[in-house]
């Protein structure tokens, strides 16, 4: 997979996988490869390569740093499309999220409140893993990195509802999952979450992302 920051010798692999995207049952050509590693002092790194060049000509790379309390500390990203390149950095500090980005070389900066109880996710199926612990029926303040408008921080109120346990066939194996649907504004995502609190399938309207190379490391 491609990565913004390559793994360093002290990192320990925790999990990895690849989502294949399909629409109405037909593969779109979009792939999302991800890798989660452990670093020093309880930190973790989540790397995501969302390659939709065969579907929409878009391509995005993400590198998320989570601290020892599972709070987002920093997200670096890069987005490509013919005629458009965005290099971005989201820094979380003192209950504030600060976004800096360069759009075809032109620099922009913005910021949003990010209180201690707020949630954050970025626009990828692996990014939605940051929401798998949302309690059902309790609205929460949240902040997302919205891809529209050439990427922007977007504060929303997030709600979730959990369904009955389901068994899915993933990579030829039966996996017990719990469905969790998250909603904000006019958007909705349903995730099927495994015993490790990871979404093995994500549904958005007619678009589905399904794990095909999921691996947990000892």
């Amino acid at each position: 997979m491609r990565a913004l920051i390559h793994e360093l010798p002290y990192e320990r692999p925790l999990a990895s996988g690849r989502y294949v995207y399909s629409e109405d049952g037909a593969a779109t050509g979009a792939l999302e490869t991800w890798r989660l590693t452990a670093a020093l002092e309880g930190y973790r790194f989540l790397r995501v390569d969302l390659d939709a060049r065969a579907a929409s000509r878009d391509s995005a790379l993400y590198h998320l740093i989570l601290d020892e309390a599972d709070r987002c500390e920093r997200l670096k990203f890069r987005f490509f499309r013919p005629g458009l390149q965005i290099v971005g950095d989201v820094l979380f500090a003192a209950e504030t999220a600060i976004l800096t980005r360069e759009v075809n070389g032109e620099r922009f900066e913005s910021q949003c409140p990010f209180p201690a109880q707020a949630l954050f996710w970025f626009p990828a199926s692996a990014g939605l893993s940051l929401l798998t612990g949302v309690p059902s029926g309790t609205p929460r303040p949240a902040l997302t990195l919205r891809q529209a408008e050439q990427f922007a921080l977007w504060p929303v109120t997030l709600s979730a509802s959990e369904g009955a346990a389901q068994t899915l066939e993933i990579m030829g194996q039966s996996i017990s999952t719990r469905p969790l649907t998250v909603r904000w504004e006019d958007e909705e995502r349903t995730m099927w979450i495994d015993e490790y609190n990871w979404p093995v399938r994500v549904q958005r309207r007619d678009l589905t992302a399904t794990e095909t190379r999921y691996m947990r490391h000892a």
Side-chain angles (χ1 to χ4, degrees), residues 1-205:
M1 64 178 285
R2 303 169 300 170
L4 283 177
I5 302 172
H6 291 287
E7 288 184 34
L8 298 173
Y10 61 78
E11 293 183 51
R12 178 172 57 87
L14 296 175
S16 59
R18 173 179 285 181
Y19 294 100
V20 171
Y21 285 81
S22 60
E23 189 168 9
D24 294 326
T28 65
L31 303 172
E32 180 182 329
T33 308
W34 62 273
R35 189 167 173 85
L36 181 67
T37 62
L40 302 175
E41 300 178 352
Y43 279 73
R44 292 182 297 150
F45 299 149
L46 176 60
R47 294 172 172 87
V48 179
D49 176 358
L50 180 48
D51 189 349
R53 288 175 292 182
S56 63
R57 306 179 75 189
D58 291 352
S59 186
L61 301 176
Y62 299 96
H63 184 276
L64 177 69
I65 301 175
L66 295 163
D67 67 16
E68 67 278 8
D70 283 341
R71 289 278 294 173
C72 297
E73 186 168 285
R74 191 168 193 173
L75 173 71
K76 298 178 76 69
F77 66 94
R78 186 167 294 177
F79 177 83
F80 310 88
R81 177 186 294 160
L84 177 64
Q85 178 171 307
I86 300 174
V87 179
D89 192 343
V90 183
L91 181 64
F92 302 90
E95 298 199 350
T96 302
I98 302 169
L99 168 64
T100 57
R101 58 193 172 99
E102 290 187 1
V103 181
N104 289 343
E106 185 176 1
R107 190 177 187 275
F108 301 88
E109 182 173 316
S110 60
Q111 64 182 45
C112 279
F114 188 63
Q117 73 275 20
L119 301 164
F120 173 78
W121 79 99
F122 57 92
S125 293
L128 285 166
S129 68
L130 301 171
L131 303 179
T132 56
V134 179
S136 181
T138 305
R140 290 278 296 274
L143 187 67
T144 186
L145 183 66
R146 190 178 186 186
Q147 184 171 325
E149 302 171 3
Q150 299 181 349
F151 287 89
L153 293 174
W154 199 259
V156 298
T157 299
L158 190 80
S159 62
S161 57
E162 190 168 329
Q166 294 183 18
T167 299
L168 298 184
E169 288 291 323
I170 301 293
M171 301 188 313
Q173 299 183 20
S174 295
I175 297 179
S176 179
T177 67
R178 59 179 180 91
L180 181 71
T181 299
V182 292
R183 300 176 181 87
W184 67 95
E185 297 182 339
D186 59 349
E187 295 288 337
E188 177 179 295
R189 305 286 186 275
T190 299
M191 299 177 278
W192 285 262
I193 303 166
D194 72 359
E195 62 178 312
Y196 299 101
N197 225 25
W198 189 266
V200 293
R201 180 175 294 170
V202 177
Q203 181 82 40
R204 185 190 73 184
R205 299 187 182 94

